[in-house]
Amino acid sequence: MPRTFRIAVLECDTVIDTIKETRGLYGDIFRDLINRGVSSSKGFEASFEVSSWDVMQGKFPADGDFDGLLLSGSRHTAFENDPWILKLVEYLQGIFDSTEKPVVGICFGHQIIARALGAKVGVSPGGWEIAVENITLNEEGQKLLGVPSLKLHQMHRDAVLEVPKDLVSLGSSPRCSIQGLHRPGKVLSVQAHPEFDGFIMTKILNFRRGVVFDEDMFKDGMSRAEESHHAPISRRGMASESRVPLPRSQRLTAPPDTGPLATAKTGEVDGATRVRSSMSSKKIECLSPSTREVIFKHDGVSVDEARTLVDRSHEAFKIYRKVPLAERKAIMIKALDYLTASEDVLAKELTLQMGRPISAAASELRTMRKRAEYFLETAEEALSDIPGKAEDGFERWVSRVPLGPVFISSAWNFPWLITINTLAPALLAGDTVLLKPSPQTPLVGDRLKEAFDHAGLPKDVLQILHLGGRHELQAVVQFPKIRQVCFTGSTGGGLAIRRATADRVVPVNLELGGNDPAYVRADADIAWTAANIVDGAIFNSGQSCCGIERVYVHESVHDEFVLALQRELTAYKLGDPFDKSTNVGPVVSPRAAQEIEAQVTDALSKGAVDATPPNASFASAPNTGTYVAPRLLINVNHDMQVMRDETFGPLLPVMKVRDDAEAVELMNDSNFGLTASIWTKDVDVARGLQDEVEAGTVFINRCDFPSPDLSWIGWKDSGLGSTLGPRGFDGFTTLKSHHIRLKQG
């Protein structure tokens, strides 16, 4: 009796509606693929049973549920650190390490397999491959499939960049050097889509037209969408591969497990937000960090809906750009007055959404107004024409012209301040704005819209896009009518935005992560400096891109300074953020709490000492939220994650240094460069050190304080472009040169 071979299809994406109507979900499509492969293979003695598993929702088959795995393609990026992708990688590593069951991967699945086995995956140097492309098979590929080359449907911009250990490459194309991977009986993966045909390719090209593909790319793909291809050959190869399990002694060995906690980055915009997939959009549920209760629900904006909003923004720009600056300023002042009158309510909403203690919530709204007022004060000069050199018979000047629709993706940790940094100059410059608030602080966007509507801002000049997923975000920034992109979030998120906009020329402003150092010189006022540094590290539960995350102290005052830090920490209270005596609230999500604890565990395992003083509140935090007690770590070094990675939590690692030179060297030993601070009574010496420190802002005897009259700019992996300061309008206008000869002849 033929054996039934159970294949578990790991669905790594949803199928677009126009395909689902006739072909079903990925499980249905691959069931058809496998059945056709079997029917065309002679001597095949097994029948197949196919099950489907939505891995994006955390659903994975247990070892007893399947005899082989098949990973589908996906619109998502295989080398990103989204939680579900990290979990998928970890799951595959476990499969490779513990079973001999075969694994097949398609496109994204091909890339994920390579990543799980320790190989590098990234953006393909050759760029996009779409529709039917020719693949030249090497000796291994020809041996497996029996032909010298294949024509298969492609739909990818990312690629496997190196062959994993113990696997072989099967072939290449002009744009992609690794088109397949193989280990007999264990792994078969292909970059192409053997399950695609002309119908599926045509539907995908139309779906991505104007979003991912410009008109030239769309037409190029359509010209080859219906070409003949060799899917039957590849189907037979995949079907036959599923029936030859390896002996246990020949199993692949996965690389050491890093796991989600070691690789995921903090500071992502999703925070404690649940994002649930649907065919057209993402359903958003915002959970309060202090209660873990749902406080906001939204269906989310689909890509198609976002495209409509962008079109409306583009039309509104044609009118708004002509509104006089004086009128734009009057509208902004009226909106600010409206928000100020609601300060108490907005402060409570902020505490509920992201967990900052109520005692410190209203101050963000006041500081937000001060920043907006700086832009109001400087707008006329910043937006004025630049005269050319005087010459008889000629007029020459340079004007500053608004760009058009600006897309702003804000963050949750200081949502009012971060948003106003770009919203105010954009609206004053004459741009229209599409604002994506963080899913963790969605009410900030709604309240801004409410305030500007009240102030008389013309229709569609400011629109709010509640986008729940990274796919939607990356799709929207590719719309041609968006003329500027401003993103605040993690470095990984910023790099994803750059990749998403790489196929068109559009300015991108990125405000990203930090690992900001402080240096305490031997002559510093110990008690005063300790108080300021604890505040700079612990305020907002350490969830500040410019908060102090590592401290270097001159060895002659190290022990005294640690005692001063301990005295300061005993006065802090961790607890319910609505209690006015609380000054340390919860962190944003369970994931954030786990990542912070992972850094502590890593440091302690490598020799750090926990020097946190006794504090009753640290040991008795409410059990309803995601509370992390402040921690003081000493005896740290740069082999520890806490000194190299962004923490985004209430940790205070302290390292002893010999002198100024060692301090500066260690301060600069980082991929980040947002801010740094030097603490000393000798300001003249500090001025000299200031020039040597690699950071966008270097404080002396201050920290964690962006000033509206200074440029806010990140060096290295901390950002691209700048906001605030005398150049704060530059990103929201373009220059036009005017050259006139006054008379003819």
Side-chain angles (χ1 to χ4, degrees):
M1 183 175 179
R3 177 193 172 193
T4 297
F5 194 91
R6 300 167 301 161
I7 297 179
V9 175
L10 305 189
E11 296 183 327
C12 303
D13 204 347
T14 52
V15 179
I16 62 176
D17 287 339
T18 52
I19 297 174
K20 185 175 69 171
E21 289 169 357
T22 57
R23 300 293 179 87
L25 301 176
Y26 273 117
D28 303 309
I29 293 171
F30 281 110
R31 184 180 292 107
D32 177 66
L33 170 79
I34 293 164
N35 287 336
R36 281 185 284 163
V38 171
S39 65
S40 60
S41 298
K42 295 181 179 180
F44 211 91
E45 298 178 352
S47 62
F48 285 86
E49 178 182 290
V50 178
S51 60
S52 302
W53 303 81
D54 187 352
V55 296
M56 294 177 65
Q57 297 299 317
K59 297 177 181 178
F60 291 86
D63 183 58
D65 294 330
F66 66 94
D67 300 306
L69 292 178
L70 191 155
L71 283 76
S72 78
S74 177
R75 60 191 164 181
H76 298 281
T77 303
F79 51 86
E80 289 295 344
N81 286 330
D82 288 353
W84 74 270
I85 293 177
L86 292 171
K87 189 172 182 180
L88 175 58
V89 170
E90 188 176 24
Y91 174 80
L92 284 178
Q93 289 172 341
I95 293 296
F96 289 138
D97 191 41
S98 63
T99 79
E100 60 269 14
K101 296 178 180 180
V103 180
V104 173
I106 307 295
C107 194
F108 173 88
H110 161 73
Q111 297 163 16
I112 283 289
I113 288 171
R115 177 178 178 177
L117 294 174
K120 185 177 181 181
V121 178
V123 176
S124 173
W128 277 100
E129 280 191 308
I130 57 176
V132 176
E133 297 277 6
N134 189 65
I135 301 168
T136 301
L137 298 178
N138 58 22
E139 184 178 350
E140 293 291 336
Q142 293 179 38
K143 187 186 305 181
L144 177 67
L145 297 173
V147 292
S149 64
L150 288 175
K151 280 192 170 184
L152 289 174
H153 280 287
Q154 303 274 7
M155 181 57 67
H156 73 101
R157 185 173 63 177
D158 302 331
V160 176
L161 303 180
E162 59 187 16
V163 177
K165 182 181 178 182
D166 296 329
L167 270 67
V168 295
S169 172
L170 295 177
S172 63
S173 68
R175 289 181 177 270
C176 179
S177 62
I178 302 174
Q179 281 285 348
L181 296 169
H182 189 225
R183 171 78 183 271
K186 182 61 180 178
V187 172
L188 174 63
S189 66
V190 291
Q191 182 59 72
H193 283 275
E195 80 279 21
F196 281 11
D197 56 17
F199 170 82
I200 291 178
M201 179 55 63
T202 298
K203 295 299 183 183
I204 293 175
L205 287 170
N206 276 288
F207 182 75
R208 293 185 168 187
R209 183 181 189 179
V211 179
V212 177
F213 302 135
D214 60 23
E215 199 62 17
D216 289 341
M217 291 182 68
F218 169 76
K219 290 178 180 177
D220 175 59
M222 289 295 289
S223 71
R224 289 175 286 106
E226 298 288 351
E227 284 188 8
S228 60
H229 53 102
H230 294 92
I233 295 174
S234 58
R235 290 175 192 139
R236 288 196 297 272
M238 291 172 63
S240 62
E241 188 67 21
S242 301
R243 58 180 175 174
V244 191
L246 278 178
R248 188 171 183 83
S249 61
Q250 297 181 36
R251 289 201 321 257
L252 284 173
T253 301
D257 178 27
T258 53
L261 297 184
T263 56
K265 301 297 290 182
T266 56
E268 296 292 335
V269 295
D270 284 348
T273 309
R274 294 174 181 161
V275 181
R276 299 178 176 177
S277 296
S278 70
M279 288 304 298
S280 61
S281 63
K282 298 285 185 178
K283 294 186 181 296
I284 302 167
E285 291 184 353
C286 174
L287 279 66
S288 173
S290 60
T291 65
R292 305 300 301 147
E293 294 177 350
V294 175
I295 57 174
F296 179 88
K297 291 184 179 182
H298 202 288
D299 283 341
V301 176
S302 71
V303 173
D304 286 340
E305 290 167 337
R307 184 186 290 107
T308 299
L309 294 177
V310 172
D311 289 342
R312 285 163 48 183
S313 182
H314 180 71
E315 291 303 310
F317 171 67
K318 296 175 183 178
I319 299 172
Y320 184 64
R321 63 178 300 178
K322 299 176 183 178
V323 173
L325 176 58
E327 188 174 335
R328 295 179 210 152
K329 291 171 67 174
I331 291 170
M332 183 161 292
I333 291 169
K334 191 172 181 180
L336 292 171
D337 289 342
Y338 184 87
L339 294 170
T340 299
S342 305
E343 182 181 283
D344 290 345
V345 172
L346 299 179
K348 291 175 183 177
E349 288 182 352
L350 183 63
T351 296
L352 184 65
Q353 291 172 93
M354 54 78 62
R356 185 179 309 141
I358 191 67
S359 59
S363 62
E364 181 176 347
L365 291 150
R366 297 178 202 130
T367 305
M368 179 271 294
R369 174 154 196 154
K370 290 178 181 177
R371 290 191 186 178
E373 288 173 343
Y374 171 81
F375 285 115
L376 287 163
E377 293 165 4
T378 58
E380 189 167 350
E381 179 180 354
L383 298 172
S384 62
D385 293 344
I386 306 167
K389 185 177 180 180
E391 182 179 354
D392 289 344
F394 293 89
E395 289 182 3
R396 290 192 292 267
W397 74 96
V398 177
S399 61
R400 295 179 170 97
V401 180
L403 291 170
V406 173
F407 180 83
I408 298 173
S409 178
S410 192
W412 54 264
N413 54 326
F414 288 92
W416 290 99
L417 292 177
I418 289 168
T419 303
I420 207 67
N421 289 354
T422 48
L423 178 65
L427 291 177
L428 289 172
D431 298 316
T432 52
V433 173
L434 298 120
L435 171 62
K436 175 199 169 295
S438 165
Q440 187 60 45
T441 50
L443 296 179
V444 172
D446 293 347
R447 296 296 180 247
L448 281 165
K449 180 72 164 61
E450 181 183 312
F452 277 98
D453 284 349
H454 171 79
L457 189 69
K459 183 180 179 182
D460 293 334
V461 171
L462 172 61
Q463 298 185 82
I464 308 303
L465 276 66
H466 289 293
L467 295 171
R470 182 171 289 180
H471 164 71
E472 285 78 12
L473 173 59
Q474 293 177 4
V476 169
V477 299
Q478 296 177 55
F479 291 156
K481 290 179 181 177
I482 288 178
R483 302 298 169 81
Q484 161 74 303
V485 176
C486 301
F487 172 85
T488 302
S490 71
T491 299
L495 290 173
I497 293 294
R498 289 200 72 186
R499 286 191 292 270
T501 57
D503 287 340
R504 69 188 190 97
V505 180
V506 59
V508 177
N509 188 290
L510 304 175
E511 183 181 330
L512 307 177
N515 186 19
D516 298 13
Y519 170 40
V520 181
R521 298 188 74 243
D523 68 337
D525 182 317
I526 297 299
W528 182 85
T529 300
N532 278 273
I533 283 182
V534 170
D535 178 65
I538 306 302
F539 182 77
N540 208 38
S541 297
Q543 299 169 129
S544 172
C545 58
C546 59
I548 291 177
E549 297 205 8
R550 49 195 171 111
V551 183
Y552 304 98
V553 183
H554 193 277
E555 60 186 6
S556 65
V557 295
H558 173 271
D559 294 350
E560 181 185 359
F561 187 73
V562 169
L563 288 173
L565 294 175
Q566 291 173 326
R567 284 192 293 270
E568 287 295 324
L569 285 170
T570 59
Y572 277 71
K573 180 181 177 181
L574 174 69
D576 179 0
F578 283 99
D579 181 341
K580 292 183 179 180
S581 65
T582 293
N583 47 21
V584 184
V587 296
V588 72
S589 68
R591 173 187 166 191
Q594 290 169 345
E595 290 171 340
I596 295 163
E597 292 298 337
Q599 286 197 4
V600 173
T601 300
D602 172 77
L604 295 177
S605 71
K606 294 174 180 175
V609 175
D610 188 341
T612 310
N615 183 313
S617 72
F618 293 179
S620 59
N623 56 15
T624 56
T626 49
Y627 292 88
V628 175
R631 304 283 281 276
L632 173 61
L633 302 175
I634 60 174
N635 199 36
V636 296
N637 59 59
H638 276 222
D639 291 332
M640 301 172 184
Q641 294 173 14
V642 73
M643 298 297 280
R644 304 202 67 85
D645 298 338
E646 185 175 30
T647 299
F648 237 62
L651 303 186
L652 191 54
V654 179
M655 183 174 178
K656 190 183 299 184
V657 295
R658 294 185 303 274
D659 52 28
D660 292 348
E662 184 183 20
V664 170
E665 180 181 0
L666 290 169
M667 293 170 84
N668 292 339
D669 182 25
S670 173
N671 291 329
F672 298 102
L674 188 55
T675 79
S677 57
I678 301 166
W679 303 81
T680 179
K681 293 175 182 175
D682 194 334
V683 173
D684 289 336
V685 170
R687 289 182 199 275
L689 299 177
Q690 198 174 35
D691 292 337
E692 298 178 31
V693 175
E694 298 169 355
T697 299
V698 182
F699 298 98
I700 297 176
N701 296 327
R702 199 173 198 181
C703 65
D704 194 17
F705 193 90
S707 183
D709 58 325
L710 297 178
S711 294
W712 189 244
I713 182 169
W715 287 19
K716 298 190 270 192
D717 286 352
S718 288
L720 181 69
S722 68
T723 56
L724 301 177
R727 309 299 295 271
F729 283 93
D730 286 4
F732 304 96
T733 61
T734 189
L735 301 178
K736 175 180 281 190
S737 293
H738 305 258
H739 193 143
I740 302 172
R741 185 194 294 270
L742 296 175
K743 294 181 180 180
Q744 292 185 343

